[in-house]
Amino acid sequence: MSLFWIALGALATALVAPWVRRFAGGAAGWLLAIVPVSFVVGLFGHLPVVSTGETVRHAIAWIPTFGLTLGFTLDGLGLLFALIISGIGAIIAIYAGAYLRNDPNSGRFYTWLFFFMGAMLGLVLSDNLLTLFVFWELTSISSFLLIGYKHEYTESRKAALQALLVTAGGGLAMLAGFVLLGQIAGTYEIAGLLEHAAAIAGHPLYLPTTILILIGAFTKSAQFPFHFWLPNAMAAPTPVSAYLHSATMVKAGVFLIAKMTPILGGTSEWQAIVVPVGAVTMLLGAIMALPQTDLKRILAYTTVSALGTLTMMLGVGTEYAIKAALVFLLVHALYKGALFLVAGSIDINSGTRDINRLGKLARLMPITAVAAVLSSLSMAGIPPLFGFIGKELLYEASLTSGGSLLWLVMGVATNAIMVWLAVVLGWKLWFGRADVNAAEPSTEGTLGLWGGPVLLAMLGLTLGLVPGLLSDSLIGPAATAVLGTPQSVKLAIWHGVNTALLLSIATIALGVLGYAARGFVDRPTAVFRRLLAIGPESIWERGFAGLLTFGKAQARFWQNGYLRYYLITILLTATALIIWTFVRDGGAPITWDISTAPFYAIAVGVVVLVAAGFAVFANTRLAAVAAVGVVGYGVALYYVLFSAPDLAITQILIETLTVILIVLVVYRLPRFRTKASLTVRWRDGLIALVAGGTMTALVLQARAVQLQPTISSFFGESAWTEAFGRNVVNVILVDFRALDTFGEIVVLAVAALGVVALLRFASAEPSP
Amino acid sequence: MMDSVILRVAARWLSPILLILALVVLYRGHNQPGGGFIGGLMAAGGLVLYSIAFGTYAARKYLRIDPQTLLVIGLLLAFSSALPALIVGEPLMTGLWHKPTIPVLGTLPLGTPLLFDIGVFLTVISISLLIIWSLQEDD
């Protein structure tokens, strides 16, 4: 199957989704899921080739003049991500059908969901940094739309905006990094960049480039200190949280780090940035998950923690660490996706997500309970689930990397908290007691609601029991893509008794102990959380509010509503800039010989000057308008005298219409309440004089300096030979520079429509 | 609207003359002073004169077509003149000419620049009328 279908098919589906929803009704989810399922099938079709370490590449020329091609490449890393995106995407499409069963707007929801799916697939398949950036920002935009899906709620809108600003803002930093990278290597093709890796690492701009690109990755993957948007994004409907904010979109940053590892990675700077950020995020996310009572927020913070783990492992960058990261990526997508969907089912069936109100749900939702328990076991890293293998690998990687013991301690602490929370999610909810005011779900809903979690949980179990199933065909090629050398991955559930196993046992013991002693631990973590509340998020909020205040203040200053001040600002700025240029560069001597001018030209000039002076000191508007009209006709007369008939006709017609216009406007204005004082008039006259004088000097200067051979002879010669017209002015307007003219009439048309709209609205509103 | 018999009589005669003149100016613009912009302003002048004499209601009826519609037509004409060049494979907006010889009239220079100029002509008329008439009406 062509990569183009996989990369762009979802975007096409997004366009038709509302109609599918309308005509298929409740079955829309199942019907739409066919599309991502077809991606999964197509991706598996490429598996044999990709498994050998080859890449599949499909490209078409996009803008050949710029050498820009639209190309998609499937390597091991892309395949792993694309399978997660389309596989979980199919499950989400079905689940959302059941979850949003009674929502009349879910057609729109599907549009955005598939919009996101397409953007995300495009991102992981891009073979060019610029295409990658475009898809990257598209995922941010679709995430914005999906978080704000319940746009009636302030909280949703606020969270959506925050997520957009943080992730899209980071994306801009990333773009700057990409541009630097492109400048250094001379190409934006990822394949080309790989060849220049050594040169890039030695370049003086290496560090800024790396930092900018990493900011993009960190914001997207909710790394400290940008983590705060992710828990807030839980305002989205649960299928969105499960899909975007756990399984796929937030892993785009991780994907980028992995993708950049062979290009930028492996240096000490890279490690010094990526590892600590990942480690701090990992531990902080886990600690902040503890005091939460909202199911989704618990899952959100554990997701932050998992993203930190992935980042840290990729930063460590040893073979073992990369493989551990890739396995954990899959592990996490499976169990976290399932747990999110379970949380959604509990929410929709019982009406609450408060863990204090939930308990003994197993007898009411038995099938969901199976999925939840299995997934929690995977989260806790208990054999024989896939999560156990993932955690063993993480420990093994930390032990063999030769890095600081600190990272290992932080890892153990994080995983112990994961075990603790897994007890809450996998035992307390289903078999434990509700603390207060128990909520009772009546049912566990249809196949659409529990089918997805069960499938994901079963996958986690299967991969734990038969780890060889995907290790060599999927994880191996992915590791090959990140490390650049052929890799094979052998996964096993039993490694014998070694340090990693002992650490695992200790982790589980610590976690269970923590849950048992939760009463003692809750209080300190709450204090800790309050400390963090004055941290990054409030800094962000304050900065944001400050920016808005500044924006308002400066808008009030410049957009003061007085036409005269606008004019004064524009004229003075332009004049000052011109004068500054004159002063700086000197300029050619201006020839100014009035004695050769014919007497009638001087006479017209005197009339114009007198009229202009009269306009400044006129006592009524009408007199001023008439005086300005005299100035205009005087200028037209100049055009006639110096044989520019087209300009003269235009000037006269424009003057006539302008006078009519001004009279009509003046008629609508109130009478002068106070006339401008003499000082103000002198000021205005002076400004006008300076501005006009400067322009005159500029024109004379332009006459004196001939930088380029004059273009008028070209127009004069080719007007007839090439454009079959003798009126050069007209030929320039409609042929040589027709595009400019077209732009101008479009601008005029928009302005006219604006005037009409303003006048209609003004007359529709009651006057204040 | 001004209630003046002299103005009305003058406008009744002057407006059509101005409109016809505008068309002449539009057509001859390619070789002599004139063109779509000037022609459009002249036509607008004629119509504004009519509206001052008889009011905008009568003037709108005199024009028969709503200025907003005319604006769209004008822009579309100007835009459509850009396209034939693409079909022939030339850069956008390259002027293309066809000069059929017709008995009595002689050789007619028909080309996309003329089409473009007609578009400019109509756009300028409608822009001027949109602004001036809505100012005139609003009281």
Side-chain angles (χ1 to χ4, degrees):
Chain A
M1 186 184 298
S2 168
L3 290 179
F4 277 95
W5 167 245
I6 295 172
L8 304 173
L11 294 177
T13 313
L15 295 178
V16 297
W19 286 277
V20 176
R21 168 73 178 89
R22 191 174 302 166
F23 294 117
W30 293 90
L31 212 56
L32 286 167
I34 294 172
V35 176
V37 167
S38 83
F39 298 159
V40 175
V41 174
L43 287 165
F44 271 111
H46 288 299
L47 192 62
V49 181
V50 176
S51 295
T52 60
E54 296 289 310
T55 58
V56 183
R57 186 164 198 280
H58 294 169
I60 48 162
W62 186 5
I63 309 176
T65 15
F66 296 150
L68 205 57
T69 52
L70 182 62
F72 295 107
T73 301
L74 188 67
D75 58 3
L77 185 67
L79 183 63
L80 175 64
F81 270 90
L83 273 177
I84 293 175
I85 295 161
S86 34
I88 296 188
I91 289 171
I92 296 293
I94 295 168
Y95 182 87
Y99 186 86
L100 297 170
R101 199 175 50 247
N102 300 323
D103 186 340
N105 294 326
S106 62
R108 196 178 58 191
F109 177 84
Y110 277 117
T111 296
W112 293 338
L113 191 74
F114 277 85
F115 174 45
F116 163 75
M117 193 188 294
M120 193 68 205
L121 284 168
L123 197 166
V124 299
L125 296 178
S126 297
D127 67 348
N128 181 301
L129 289 183
L130 298 179
T131 0
L132 190 149
F133 167 75
V134 170
F135 284 119
W136 179 281
E137 296 292 55
L138 284 182
T139 62
S140 290
I141 293 168
S142 51
S143 149
F144 165 75
L145 292 168
L146 284 165
I147 296 172
Y149 179 67
K150 291 181 243 169
H151 57 83
E152 314 85 69
Y153 300 100
T154 325
E155 184 207 3
S156 293
R157 294 199 301 270
K158 200 168 157 246
L161 193 63
Q162 188 186 53
L164 179 73
L165 289 173
V166 174
T167 59
L172 290 180
M174 182 185 82
L175 176 64
F178 281 175
V179 172
L180 285 181
L181 198 55
Q183 293 290 320
I184 295 172
T187 176
Y188 288 102
E189 304 287 324
I190 291 170
L193 289 169
L194 288 170
E195 291 163 16
H196 291 90
I200 294 167
H203 198 276
L205 283 175
Y206 168 78
L207 193 61
T209 309
T210 307
I211 290 174
L212 285 169
I213 293 178
L214 284 177
I215 287 176
F218 290 164
T219 49
K220 196 78 161 184
S221 281
Q223 299 295 303
F224 182 84
F226 307 111
H227 61 279
F228 51 86
W229 71 265
L230 184 55
N232 292 339
M234 293 299 123
T238 307
V240 174
S241 310
Y243 191 34
L244 273 72
H245 305 121
S246 166
T248 57
M249 189 193 86
V250 288
K251 297 216 172 88
V254 174
F255 171 80
L256 185 70
I257 295 176
K259 196 87 182 166
M260 287 295 141
T261 297
I263 300 169
L264 299 171
T267 63
S268 53
E269 295 101 317
W270 173 269
Q271 277 202 352
I273 301 169
V274 179
V275 176
V277 168
V280 168
T281 310
M282 169 179 82
L283 190 59
L284 268 185
I287 293 174
M288 289 166 77
L290 276 180
Q292 307 296 333
T293 54
D294 180 344
L295 260 181
K296 278 181 79 176
R297 286 189 89 86
I298 296 178
L299 292 172
Y301 279 111
T302 56
T303 303
V304 170
S305 171
L307 293 168
T309 311
L310 287 167
T311 305
M312 180 175 104
M313 281 296 140
L314 287 172
V316 169
T318 58
E319 264 182 40
Y320 231 120
I322 299 283
K323 287 175 189 168
L326 294 169
V327 171
F328 184 62
L329 178 86
L330 189 56
V331 168
H332 177 255
L334 292 176
Y335 80 68
K336 193 55 68 65
L339 286 175
F340 258 113
L341 296 184
V342 167
S345 294
I346 294 175
D347 185 15
I348 203 170
N349 287 321
S350 70
T352 182
R353 300 195 302 251
D354 186 343
I355 53 168
N356 292 328
R357 294 185 56 199
L358 295 166
K360 293 206 162 64
L361 295 176
R363 64 202 155 83
L364 301 162
M365 308 173 72
I367 309 175
T368 315
V370 173
V373 171
L374 282 177
S375 303
S376 305
L377 288 175
S378 191
M379 176 176 167
I382 303 218
L385 284 126
F386 198 30
F388 174 69
I389 300 177
K391 194 177 53 177
E392 290 288 281
L393 272 173
L394 292 177
Y395 284 160
E396 200 65 57
S398 300
L399 288 168
T400 55
S401 72
S404 157
L405 193 65
L406 180 67
W407 307 140
L408 188 63
V409 173
M410 286 170 88
V412 172
T414 306
N415 276 313
I417 297 175
M418 290 299 147
V419 174
W420 174 345
L421 291 167
V423 175
V424 175
L425 297 169
W427 184 80
K428 194 263 177 191
L429 297 181
W430 310 95
F431 310 106
R433 244 177 329 99
D435 302 325
V436 283
N437 192 12
E440 300 254 310
S442 47
T443 161
E444 60 185 333
T446 53
L447 174 63
L449 277 184
W450 52 259
V454 169
L455 184 62
L456 290 172
M458 285 302 163
L459 269 173
L461 182 62
T462 315
L463 287 175
L465 292 172
V466 197
L469 208 56
L470 286 177
S471 59
D472 231 11
S473 54
L474 191 60
I475 307 290
T480 308
V482 178
L483 289 161
T485 50
Q487 302 289 330
S488 76
V489 176
K490 295 273 172 275
L491 298 179
I493 198 111
W494 181 249
H495 291 276
V497 180
N498 54 14
T499 327
L501 183 71
L502 294 177
L503 279 174
S504 264
I505 294 169
T507 309
I508 295 169
L510 271 173
V512 175
L513 206 68
Y515 179 73
R518 61 189 178 282
F520 301 102
V521 192
D522 267 356
R523 202 176 297 268
T525 54
V527 172
F528 184 70
R529 193 167 62 119
R530 216 164 296 144
L531 266 176
L532 272 175
I534 53 168
E537 182 166 11
S538 74
I539 294 173
W540 171 271
E541 290 289 328
R542 245 173 261 170
F544 192 60
L547 189 70
L548 288 183
T549 315
F550 172 71
K552 269 182 206 154
Q554 68 99 19
R556 252 200 309 274
F557 180 74
W558 294 108
Q559 307 291 320
N560 44 40
Y562 291 103
L563 186 61
R564 50 183 173 278
Y565 294 133
Y566 294 166
L567 278 175
I568 289 175
T569 311
I570 292 168
L571 286 176
L572 284 185
T573 311
T575 311
L577 286 174
I578 294 170
I579 291 177
W580 179 62
T581 313
F582 269 129
V583 171
R584 192 192 54 184
D585 295 351
I590 292 170
T591 47
W592 174 263
D593 186 8
I594 207 161
S595 61
T596 57
F599 76 93
Y600 46 81
I602 295 170
V604 173
V606 171
V607 172
V608 166
L609 278 176
V610 170
F614 181 76
V616 175
F617 297 101
N619 269 325
T620 62
R621 285 193 182 109
L622 212 56
V625 170
V628 173
V630 170
V631 174
Y633 286 118
V635 173
L637 212 52
Y638 270 120
Y639 292 141
V640 174
L641 293 178
F642 295 96
S643 52
D646 277 284
L647 289 181
I649 303 174
T650 314
Q651 176 79 18
I652 287 176
L653 287 167
I654 288 285
E655 273 314 320
T656 311
L657 288 175
T658 309
V659 168
I660 295 176
L661 256 177
I662 294 182
V663 168
L664 287 172
V665 171
V666 165
Y667 180 76
R668 297 159 50 84
L669 290 177
R671 279 187 175 285
F672 283 130
R673 238 176 274 150
T674 52
K675 284 214 178 80
S677 70
L678 209 58
T679 334
V680 170
R681 282 162 189 254
W682 274 109
R683 178 199 69 189
D684 293 349
L686 204 66
I687 290 172
L689 209 61
V690 170
T694 312
M695 282 312 292
T696 311
L698 186 66
V699 170
L700 289 170
Q701 182 71 49
R703 257 179 61 82
V705 186
Q706 190 76 47
L707 293 172
Q708 304 285 335
T710 167
I711 197 170
S712 42
S713 58
F714 162 79
F715 282 135
E717 281 158 19
S718 33
W720 178 246
T721 54
E722 285 185 24
F724 314 110
R726 289 209 172 78
N727 178 356
V728 182
V729 176
N730 187 255
V731 168
I732 292 174
L733 280 176
V734 300
D735 199 334
F736 290 140
R737 309 224 51 95
L739 194 61
D740 293 354
T741 311
F742 187 68
E744 281 155 19
I745 59 174
V746 170
V747 169
L748 281 175
V750 173
L753 291 176
V755 169
V756 172
L758 277 178
L759 287 172
R760 279 202 193 140
F761 280 120
S763 52
E765 273 171 27
S767 45
Chain B
M1 188 172 90
M2 271 171 86
D3 204 9
S4 150
V5 177
I6 300 170
L7 185 64
R8 286 189 177 192
V9 173
R12 200 179 294 283
W13 288 97
L14 275 176
S15 293
I17 293 173
L18 274 168
L19 287 176
I20 293 166
L21 260 178
L23 283 175
V24 172
V25 166
L26 162 71
Y27 179 74
R28 66 169 223 159
H30 213 56
N31 292 319
Q32 288 157 294
F37 191 72
I38 297 177
L41 287 176
M42 281 178 77
L47 288 161
V48 167
L49 178 65
Y50 198 89
S51 71
I52 292 175
F54 297 100
T56 50
Y57 181 75
R60 277 182 195 278
K61 276 203 352 206
Y62 186 64
L63 180 62
R64 282 157 193 260
I65 181 167
D66 184 53
Q68 280 185 40
T69 321
L70 199 64
L71 180 72
V72 175
I73 295 173
L75 283 177
L76 280 179
L77 279 182
F79 179 68
S80 66
S81 79
L83 300 178
L86 283 186
I87 299 167
V88 197
E90 297 275 342
L92 187 79
M93 291 199 129
T94 308
L96 296 176
W97 292 90
H98 179 63
K99 299 183 174 178
T101 312
I102 290 168
V104 186
L105 292 172
T107 309
L108 274 184
L110 297 179
T112 51
L114 183 63
L115 187 64
F116 183 79
D117 222 7
I118 295 174
V120 173
F121 176 74
L122 296 180
T123 313
V124 169
I125 296 180
S126 37
I127 290 167
S128 318
L129 293 183
L130 270 178
I131 297 176
I132 293 180
W133 281 359
S134 37
L135 277 169
Q136 258 178 297
E137 273 164 3
D138 192 65
D139 41 47

